[in-house]
């Protein structure tokens, strides 16, 4: 279907907030039916069930970036996830090869709520990373550092990696990406998640003594001595996920005591103390596959976002699934994408007045794509 020029008046959001979920669901479905395969709704596993039910495809951040990269028929992607994911979708879905296949027609990417950001991604700003790079150049040879950014980062950081021979990783390929980096250089600057960087490098035999933490707010050298930076293998950015950092060693001990034989399954964004005590640490996709393939009667405690754990509980009644923390650990920004925002953004799109369009500027997209393509070639 064709969409009218986007000069039309935008529909206000407020009236949608008072509608019942049943009505919102019907109206969303009506837009999906009308727009057909040209509309692709992507849902990250941490989304609410009602949103997942209306998504064409669901996945973790790696799978979703692949789906956006591979999509052939879609003209519009409505991304039920967070800002950095929508930016990534815009970059890969509109890469030169795809644009040529579509005679220059762009895929428009929409984030239903612009406030759906990621607190971890916000912990590394491009000016901080650039100034860290300049500071590092005073004590080590930056030609011998590969910058690696977790996909949970702004496009400007991915572009930084593209420009400096670096690469993007996700939680499902971090080890393969670090190996790629070490085949090229002696050191890695890993941002923004210190825990994913540390947990992955520890598995590869790198020690904490070789992994200084770079605090962008410290006075000099990220709070490190010159000697520590010179002895480093991985320089870890001082960032974390506010959801996964809430899981603690005492939660693991308490559940092991209460449920002998329990298996502890965590995301590598959890702190090292939790990761070390877990039976299995893996990406969102790996967590799902592990539960899916386990025999009935397995007892699990899972340390990752609450909506995903609750969905696993519902989908696998043959297993006993506990949430690893006694307190609620949910991603408040993912949670901002609700049916009201989804319906509002879809009806505006169908009316020819798209809202919340995520478009990465050309130069940033070009360099980001280089770092993303390196990742897509690694695994
Ligand atoms: P995944 O890469 O496992 O999808 O994780 C994304 C995320 O935001 C985890 O906090
Ligand atoms: Fe960001 Fe953590 Fe939310 Fe993932 S769970 S989007 S890392 S705040």
């Amino acid at each position: 279907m064709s969409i009218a020029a986007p000069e039309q008046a935008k529909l206000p959001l407020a009236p949608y907030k008072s509608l019942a979920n049943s009505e919102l669901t019907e109206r969303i479905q009506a837009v999906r039916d009308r727009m057909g395969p040209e509309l692709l709704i992507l849902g990250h596993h941490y989304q609410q069930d009602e949103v997942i039910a209306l998504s064409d495809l669901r996945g973790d951040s790696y799978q979703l970036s692949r789906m956006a990269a591979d999509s052939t028929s879609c003209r519009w992607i409505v991304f039920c996830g967070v800002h950095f994911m929508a930016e990534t979708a815009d970059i890969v879905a509109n890469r030169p090869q795809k644009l040529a296949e579509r005679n220059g027609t762009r895929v428009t990417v929409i984030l239903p709520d612009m406030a759906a950001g990621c607190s971890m991604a916000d912990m590394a700003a491009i000016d901080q990373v650039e100034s860290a790079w300049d500071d590092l150049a005073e004590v080590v040879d930056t030609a011998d550092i590969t910058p690696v950014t977790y996909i949970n980062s702004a496009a400007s950081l991915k572009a930084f990696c593209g420009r400096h021979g670096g690469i993007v990783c996700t939680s499902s390929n971090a080890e393969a990406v670090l190996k790629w980096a070490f085949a090229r250089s002696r050191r890695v600057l890993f941002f923004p998640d210190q825990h994913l960087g540390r947990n992955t490098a520890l598995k590869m035999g790198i020690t904490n003594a070789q992994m200084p933490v770079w605090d962008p707010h410290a006075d000099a050298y990220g709070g490190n001595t010159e000697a520590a930076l010179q002895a480093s293998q991985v320089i870890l950015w001082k960032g974390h996920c506010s959801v996964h950092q809430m899981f603690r060693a005492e939660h693991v001990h308490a559940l092991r005591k209460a449920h002998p034989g329990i298996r502890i399954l965590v995301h590598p964004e959890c702190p090292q103390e939790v990761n070390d005590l877990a039976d299995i640490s893996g990406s969102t996709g790996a967590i799902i596959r592990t539960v899916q393939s386990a025999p009935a009667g397995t007892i699990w405690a899972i340390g990752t976002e609450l909506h995903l754990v609750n969905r696993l509980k519902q989908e696998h009644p043959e297993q006993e699934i506990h949430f690893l923390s006694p307190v609620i650990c949910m991603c408040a920004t993912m949670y901002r994408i609700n049916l009201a925002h989804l319906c509002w953004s879809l009806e505006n799109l169908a009316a020819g007045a798209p809202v919340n369009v995520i478009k990465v500027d050309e130069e940033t997209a070009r360099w980001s794509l280089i770092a993303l393509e390196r990742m897509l070639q690694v695994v």
Side-chain angles (χ1 to χ4, degrees):
M1 100 178 218
S2 74
I3 292 277
E7 291 98 48
Q8 308 220 13
K10 311 253 189 265
L11 302 169
L13 172 63
Y16 289 81
K17 294 187 174 166
S18 54
L19 299 178
N21 274 1
S22 53
E23 181 173 352
L24 290 165
T25 300
E26 249 173 57
R27 286 169 61 166
I28 291 167
Q29 194 49 51
V31 177
R32 293 177 79 201
D33 294 344
R34 196 177 142 204
M35 294 183 69
E38 289 191 337
L39 170 68
L40 181 63
I41 303 180
L42 296 178
H44 189 273
H45 288 301
Y46 295 174
Q47 290 295 319
Q48 310 176 42
D49 288 343
E50 304 89 274
V51 172
I52 286 293
L54 289 160
S55 300
D56 296 298
L57 297 168
R58 65 167 129 156
D60 61 17
S61 56
Y62 178 73
Q63 293 162 330
L64 292 172
S65 59
R66 277 250 172 232
M67 289 165 187
D70 296 344
S71 64
T72 47
S73 54
C74 84
R75 283 277 326 276
W76 296 279
I77 292 178
V78 175
F79 210 118
C80 300
V82 290
H83 192 271
F84 71 81
M85 297 179 184
E87 277 188 335
T88 305
D90 177 53
I91 295 164
V92 297
N94 292 305
R95 64 192 188 281
Q97 177 211 338
K98 282 280 168 184
L99 282 180
E101 283 168 20
R102 293 192 299 266
N103 296 323
T105 307
R106 288 186 65 84
V107 169
T108 299
V109 178
I110 287 169
L111 181 66
D113 185 345
M114 282 301 206
C118 164
S119 53
M120 174 203 285
D122 293 343
M123 288 177 196
I126 184 61
D127 53 330
Q128 292 174 323
V129 171
E130 276 169 352
S131 103
W133 195 255
D134 292 345
D135 290 355
L136 281 166
E138 292 174 17
V139 281
V140 291
D141 179 5
T142 48
D144 214 10
I145 306 180
T146 300
V148 177
T149 189
Y150 189 20
I151 199 163
N152 296 29
S153 58
S156 53
L157 272 71
K158 296 182 179 85
F160 177 91
C161 289
R163 275 192 214 100
H164 292 277
I167 186 166
V168 177
C169 77
T170 72
S171 54
S172 56
N173 60 22
E175 187 169 348
V177 165
L178 281 190
K179 282 186 184 145
W180 179 94
F182 281 120
R184 278 154 187 80
S185 66
R186 203 170 138 201
R187 267 182 261 279
V188 162
L189 172 61
F190 191 98
F191 42 85
D193 185 20
Q194 60 172 303
H195 300 304
L196 177 65
R198 182 181 296 110
N199 291 328
T200 308
L202 284 168
K203 263 204 299 192
M204 295 167 66
I206 297 168
T207 64
N208 270 321
Q210 297 166 310
M211 289 192 272
V213 175
W214 187 279
D215 179 354
H217 303 290
D219 285 341
Y221 299 133
N224 298 288
T225 61
E226 292 183 32
L229 293 172
Q230 281 154 0
S232 69
Q233 292 246 351
V234 181
I235 302 161
L236 297 168
W237 195 264
K238 194 173 179 195
H240 62 262
C241 165
S242 46
V243 179
H244 290 91
Q245 73 147 11
M246 291 174 61
F247 297 106
R248 297 265 169 252
E250 63 259 31
H251 303 153
V252 177
H253 296 314
L255 278 152
R256 285 211 194 277
K257 199 164 163 210
H259 305 276
I262 197 166
R263 311 267 295 147
I264 310 290
L265 177 55
V266 302
H267 193 283
E269 284 175 17
C270 291
Q272 186 196 338
E273 57 168 27
V274 172
N275 207 76
D276 285 354
L277 289 169
D279 296 293
I280 302 169
S281 163
S283 67
T284 304
I287 289 174
I288 295 169
R289 287 191 297 278
T290 302
V291 173
Q292 280 168 345
S293 59
T298 309
I299 310 173
W300 296 106
I302 306 183
T304 192
E305 209 275 343
L306 183 64
H307 288 89
L308 172 59
V309 179
N310 283 341
R311 190 169 311 115
L312 284 169
K313 266 191 213 179
Q314 282 161 22
E315 290 176 354
H316 294 279
E318 81 287 0
Q319 301 186 37
E320 184 179 325
I321 297 177
H322 299 264
F323 190 56
L324 180 56
S325 167
V327 296
I328 290 171
C329 307
M330 58 168 243
C331 181
T333 48
M334 288 262 186
Y335 190 66
R336 295 194 68 94
I337 310 284
N338 52 22
L339 291 187
H341 281 88
L342 182 56
C343 189
W344 170 70
S345 57
L346 284 171
E347 290 191 345
N348 269 293
L349 177 61
V355 287
N356 294 3
V357 172
I358 304 296
K359 187 172 181 309
V360 177
D361 72 81
E362 231 171 82
E363 187 64 2
T364 306
R366 189 163 73 82
W367 285 109
S368 300
L369 183 63
I370 290 173
L372 281 160
E373 282 183 332
R374 286 182 186 134
M375 172 187 86
L376 293 171
Q377 277 155 20
V378 167
V379 267

